[in-house]
């Protein structure tokens, strides 16, 4: 889990982290704001199996409330991480 974040309505929030799959190239990082029902995928061009992938995700909430952003990586075999990381945030 990434440390909780607090934001004001209309302010963008930038999340960042690293992904690796020890011996497999990361081809995408995926994000979900609906508990994993739907995933938005962003390709990682130039990634190699020898280095961690640094990712960033910028989001501007449209409503006040509490959120949970789930994050997972996809390797070159098109297999997603078995367990997603997450970041909780509140918008006031």
């Amino acid at each position: 889990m990434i440390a909780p974040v607090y934001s004001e309505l209309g302010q963008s929030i930038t999340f960042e982290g690293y992904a690796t799959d020890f011996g497999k190239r990361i081809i995408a990082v995926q994000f979900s704001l609906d508990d994993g029902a739907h995933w938005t995928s962003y390709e990682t061009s130039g990634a190699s199996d020898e280095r961690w992938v640094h990712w960033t995700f910028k989001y501007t909430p449209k409503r006040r409330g509490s959120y949970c952003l789930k994050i997972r990586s996809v390797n070159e075999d098109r297999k997603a991480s078995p367990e997603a990381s997450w970041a909780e945030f509140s918008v006031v």
Side-chain angles (χ1 to χ4, degrees), residues 4-8 13 64-67 88-92:
V5 174
Y6 298 91
S7 179
E8 291 184 20
I13 305 168
R64 289 178 172 84
S66 296
Y67 295 82
E88 294 177 340
F89 61 101
S90 295
V91 179
V92 293

Side-chain angles (χ1 to χ4, degrees), residues 4-85:
V5 174
Y6 298 91
S7 179
E8 291 184 20
L9 188 63
Q11 270 188 336
S12 64
I13 305 168
T14 302
F15 300 91
E16 64 180 310
Y18 292 90
T20 187
D21 196 354
F22 305 105
K24 300 278 184 181
R25 186 172 54 88
I26 300 295
I27 63 166
V29 177
Q30 298 179 327
F31 303 92
S32 175
L33 282 164
D34 60 6
D35 200 31
H38 301 92
W39 293 90
T40 301
S41 188
Y42 295 92
E43 293 182 14
T44 55
S45 60
S48 78
D49 62 350
E50 299 171 352
R51 297 168 54 198
W52 290 59
V53 171
H54 178 252
W55 57 263
T56 59
F57 180 75
K58 190 174 188 176
Y59 178 69
T60 304
K62 294 181 173 46
R63 294 183 194 95
R64 289 178 172 84
S66 296
Y67 295 82
C68 180
L69 174 67
K70 289 192 170 189
I71 307 113
R72 69 182 184 184
S73 61
V74 178
N75 70 22
E76 62 190 325
D77 294 335
R78 303 214 179 276
K79 292 185 179 180
S81 305
E83 188 173 322
S85 295

